């Protein structure tokens, strides 16, 4: 697919701000969070099926057995996407469905994605495929999971299997979604599947995920040089509470290092930064990096997806107004950061979403600018926002509508921030709202609703929320409504 590059938004009438030509306006979801049919047609357990059975791991002991039943309702869901006017839909394939237990290809599993892709194409919606959105086959976890180097090679093989089936129709391929979550949050902090709490395993997982990414990129590129290949990272803006206080600056450096640069540097520069290695090398990273790995990891890509939800405001001093708070359940977890003891997360006093996350739209402009300047720009890699969205405690009005004013505000303010970035000279090529549907929000189960479409989990009825209608108008006009345009 060709995506036109436009360095700046088109000049427009004062009040209306238009999106550049070719800018993709889409929405995202992920296999385990929406599909259901967890054991149908040959699919076997992923680490999230297993983790959901751990007492106390997920709010209300929810799981993805049924979720939004998208496996059976995908046609209706694609019809909704079409009604909303989405240019593109970002979805993930389930490894445990395509290659159950990490073993041979399961034709029925593959067939589901084939039908989904056909339905999207027939509806004029570009399929944007993510190979790994956190659902490792449990059988591979039992062989060491991402802490085991072999999993990176298995991932490459799985990527090729998906390409065998869909490569003729899907042009845009993302290897991994948010490797920070599938390593540090999952193997170090233990808040996500597989729920380990082991610093060395988290660092090994991060490196092996990157290696798997690089191996898959090389193998897919060899298959078809025209594929649009990339990775999605969740990135943050880490600011010191007091920029004049060395302890706060060091806290910001650590969080930036262990959140952002731990992935950006190897991918774009072919090395881990010295300060990061000084902090975490002896804790387990040094032990797993083998000669040649960084060349594989830094194989050229075409697109970087940035997922942005909030920034961090950090200090070496405890906060009177701490932000760290909301844990989904009582199950003890540890910090996902391998070497950030003594770093404290402060509140900036901003409004918060239903997740307790501070709403900081301008952080997105800042983040995109930095990533473009330091990483994607010099590499000639196109930049997309592949996730951004908010959970709120939606209420259904007596007329059945969902007047989610806050989510609409969140969506429009972040789109506006992207246009600010474009105006400043940061080329951004697309935006995907998270999520198209309310869904299984990992350890929060079904308690947190991010959708622009409401799902009634009793009846599986879908209702487009007011935020969805607002997005529909933005996509139709390819512009922000006058009232929200700055
Ligand atoms: C991201 C995940 C996505 C969803 C949103 C809220 O970290 O990629 O699956 O959970 O957060």
């Amino acid at each position: 697919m060709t995506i036109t590059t436009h360095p700046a938004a088109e000049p427009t009438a004062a009040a209306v701000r238009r999106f550049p030509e070719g800018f993709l306006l889409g929405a995202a979801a992920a296999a385990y969070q929406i599909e259901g049919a967890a054991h149908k047609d040959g699919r076997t357990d992923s680490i999230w099926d297993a983790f959901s059975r751990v007492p106390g791991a997920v709010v209300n002991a929810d799981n993805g057995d049924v979720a939004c039943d998208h496996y059976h309702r995908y046609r209706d869901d694609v019809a909704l996407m079409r009604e909303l006017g989405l240019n593109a839909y970002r979805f993930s394939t389930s490894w445990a469905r395509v290659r159950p237990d990490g073993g041979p290809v399961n034709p029925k599993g593959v067939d589901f994605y084939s039908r989904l892709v056909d339905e999207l194409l027939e509806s004029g919606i570009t399929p944007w495929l993510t190979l790994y959105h956190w659902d490792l086959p449990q059988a591979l976890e039992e062989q060491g999971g991402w802490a085991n180097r072999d999993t990176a090679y298995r991932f490459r093989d799985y990527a090729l299997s998906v390409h065998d089936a869909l490569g003729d129709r899907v042009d845009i391929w993302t290897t991994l979604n948010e490797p920070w979550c599938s390593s540090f949050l999952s193997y170090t902090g233990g808040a996500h599947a597989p729920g380990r709490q082991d610093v060395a395993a988290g660092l090994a997982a991060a490196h092996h995920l990157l290696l798997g990414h690089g191996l898959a990129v090389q193998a897919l590129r060899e298959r078809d040089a025209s594929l649009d290949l990339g990775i999605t990272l969740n990135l943050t803006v880490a600011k010191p509470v007091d920029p004049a206080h060395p302890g706060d600056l060091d806290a910001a450096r650590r969080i930036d290092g262990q959140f952002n640069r731990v992935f950006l540097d190897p991918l774009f520069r072919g090395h881990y930064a010295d300060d990061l290695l000084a902090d975490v090398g002896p804790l387990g990273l040094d032990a797993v990096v083998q000669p040649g790995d960084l060349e594989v990891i830094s194989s050229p890509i075409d697109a970087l997806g940035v997922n942005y939800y909030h920034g961090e405001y950090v200090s070496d001093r405890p906060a009177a107004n701490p932000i760290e708070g909301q844990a989904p359940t009582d199950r003890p977890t540890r910090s996902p950061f391998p070497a950030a003891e003594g770093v404290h997360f402060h509140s900036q006093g901003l409004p918060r979403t239903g997740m307790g996350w501070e709403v900081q739209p301008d952080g997105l402009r800042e983040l995109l600018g930095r990533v473009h300047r330091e990483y994607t720009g010099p590499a000639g890699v196109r930049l997309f926002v592949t996730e951004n969205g908010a959970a709120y405690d939606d209420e259904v009005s007596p007329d059945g509508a969902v007047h989610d004013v806050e989510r609409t505000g969140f969506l429009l303010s972040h789109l506006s921030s992207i246009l600010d970035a474009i105006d400043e000279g940061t080329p951004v090529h697309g935006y995907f709202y998270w999520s198209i549907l309310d869904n299984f929000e990992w350890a929060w189960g079904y308690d947190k609703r991010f959708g622009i479409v409401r799902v009634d989990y009793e009846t599986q009825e879908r209702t487009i929320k007011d935020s969805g209608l607002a997005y529909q108008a933005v996509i139709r006009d390819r512009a922000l409504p006058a009232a929200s345009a700055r």
Side-chain angles (χ1 to χ4, degrees):
M1 186 184 132
T2 316
I3 296 159
T4 329
T5 306
H6 278 258
E10 293 164 15
T12 57
V16 179
R17 302 184 76 199
R18 289 192 192 287
F19 289 92
E21 174 121 19
F23 187 95
L24 290 180
L25 288 159
Y32 191 70
Q33 294 179 276
I34 64 166
E35 285 176 3
H39 298 103
K40 194 154 177 203
D41 293 338
R43 183 188 177 282
T44 56
D45 273 357
S46 74
I47 52 177
W48 270 97
D49 298 272
F51 187 65
S52 299
R53 293 195 283 265
V54 172
V58 178
V59 171
N60 300 325
D62 287 340
N63 59 49
D65 281 1
V66 177
C68 308
D69 197 29
H70 173 74
Y71 190 78
H72 298 110
R73 294 167 194 266
Y74 72 93
R75 280 203 179 84
D76 294 342
D77 290 339
V78 173
L80 269 172
M81 295 175 204
R82 184 181 196 156
E83 188 179 337
L84 289 167
L86 300 190
N87 305 151
Y89 171 52
R90 175 176 176 260
F91 66 100
S92 76
T93 47
S94 154
W95 191 340
R97 202 181 286 291
V98 172
R99 297 187 64 156
D101 296 336
V105 172
N106 168 29
K108 284 190 174 164
V110 162
D111 188 54
F112 167 67
Y113 297 109
S114 189
R115 285 180 281 123
L116 172 64
V117 164
D118 285 344
E119 195 72 20
L120 288 166
L121 291 171
E122 277 161 30
S123 305
I125 300 171
T126 299
W128 180 303
L129 190 152
T130 299
L131 287 159
Y132 187 71
H133 201 124
W134 308 353
D135 43 1
L136 184 72
Q138 174 64 14
L140 296 185
E141 175 59 24
E142 282 157 21
Q143 294 165 39
W146 285 108
N148 177 356
R149 185 177 172 91
D150 187 52
T151 301
Y153 296 88
R154 303 292 196 99
F155 175 71
R156 175 199 57 197
D157 297 347
Y158 152 67
L160 289 175
S161 305
V162 180
H163 182 267
D164 285 338
L166 306 177
D168 57 336
R169 284 157 292 156
V170 176
D171 299 327
I172 310 183
W173 296 70
T174 297
T175 53
L176 308 173
N177 175 69
E178 302 191 356
W180 185 85
C181 290
S182 35
S183 55
F184 298 115
L185 197 58
S186 305
Y187 285 82
T188 303
H192 277 192
R196 289 205 232 169
Q197 300 189 20
D198 175 339
V199 170
L203 287 160
H207 183 70
H208 295 147
L209 278 154
L210 282 170
L211 181 63
H213 154 83
L215 291 167
V217 164
Q218 290 189 340
L220 290 170
R221 188 78 80 203
E222 205 178 296
R223 281 273 179 96
D224 180 353
S226 74
L227 291 180
D228 203 307
L229 303 175
I231 186 168
T232 276
L233 303 177
N234 52 320
L235 299 175
T236 194
V237 182
K239 287 194 176 156
V241 169
D242 176 359
H245 178 68
D248 289 5
L249 286 172
D250 196 59
R253 178 194 64 75
R254 280 174 188 264
I255 298 306
D256 181 47
Q258 292 167 49
F259 212 118
N260 301 326
R261 291 183 292 116
V262 61
F263 297 107
L264 287 167
D265 287 335
L267 286 166
F268 288 94
R269 297 179 177 167
H271 62 75
Y272 289 105
D274 290 344
D275 69 304
L276 178 83
L277 284 175
D279 288 340
V280 307
L283 302 178
L285 186 58
D286 290 344
V288 294
V289 181
Q290 294 190 10
D293 284 1
L294 285 150
E295 284 77 58
V296 175
I297 291 169
S298 58
S299 301
I301 53 173
D302 306 295
L304 176 72
V306 171
N307 291 359
Y308 173 80
Y309 288 91
H310 56 85
E312 326 293 328
Y313 197 46
V314 294
S315 170
D316 69 345
R317 291 156 299 173
N321 51 349
I323 193 97
E324 57 235 304
Q326 299 205 18
T329 68
D330 295 339
R331 186 175 153 272
T333 54
R334 48 155 290 144
S335 164
F337 297 105
E341 251 166 58
V343 173
H344 298 274
F345 294 83
H346 291 225
S347 163
Q348 302 181 66
L350 299 168
R352 299 204 194 180
T353 69
M355 299 292 282
W357 297 343
E358 292 197 317
V359 180
Q360 193 187 348
D362 195 50
L364 180 54
R365 175 196 59 77
E366 214 176 305
L367 176 63
L368 293 168
R370 185 258 180 125
V371 170
H372 169 65
R373 264 191 320 278
E374 296 183 24
Y375 296 98
T376 51
V381 168
R382 287 191 314 276
L383 193 53
F384 293 82
V385 175
T386 40
E387 276 182 36
N388 167 250
Y392 288 104
D393 296 331
D394 296 330
E395 279 171 28
V396 182
S397 298
D399 63 356
V402 181
H403 302 303
D404 55 341
V405 181
E406 290 169 301
R407 183 176 294 103
T408 304
F410 186 99
L411 167 69
L412 297 178
S413 61
H414 285 78
L415 285 171
S416 179
S417 175
I418 292 175
L419 289 178
D420 291 343
I422 294 174
D423 285 347
E424 278 181 4
T426 304
V428 186
H429 298 274
Y431 173 86
F432 291 80
Y433 180 79
W434 180 273
S435 172
I436 178 71
L437 299 172
D438 289 341
N439 60 47
F440 176 79
E441 179 45 35
W442 308 114
W444 291 96
Y446 296 98
D447 254 21
K448 302 291 178 191
R449 293 176 176 271
F450 278 84
I452 44 174
V453 174
R454 178 178 175 84
V455 176
D456 178 330
Y457 295 113
E458 299 285 308
T459 62
Q460 290 294 346
E461 195 188 337
R462 275 63 162 152
T463 308
I464 299 180
K465 302 178 193 177
D466 283 5
S467 57
L469 298 173
Y471 196 32
Q472 183 184 46
V474 169
I475 300 172
R476 181 197 60 215
D477 299 344
R478 300 200 56 79
L480 289 184
S484 70
R486 242 203 265 267

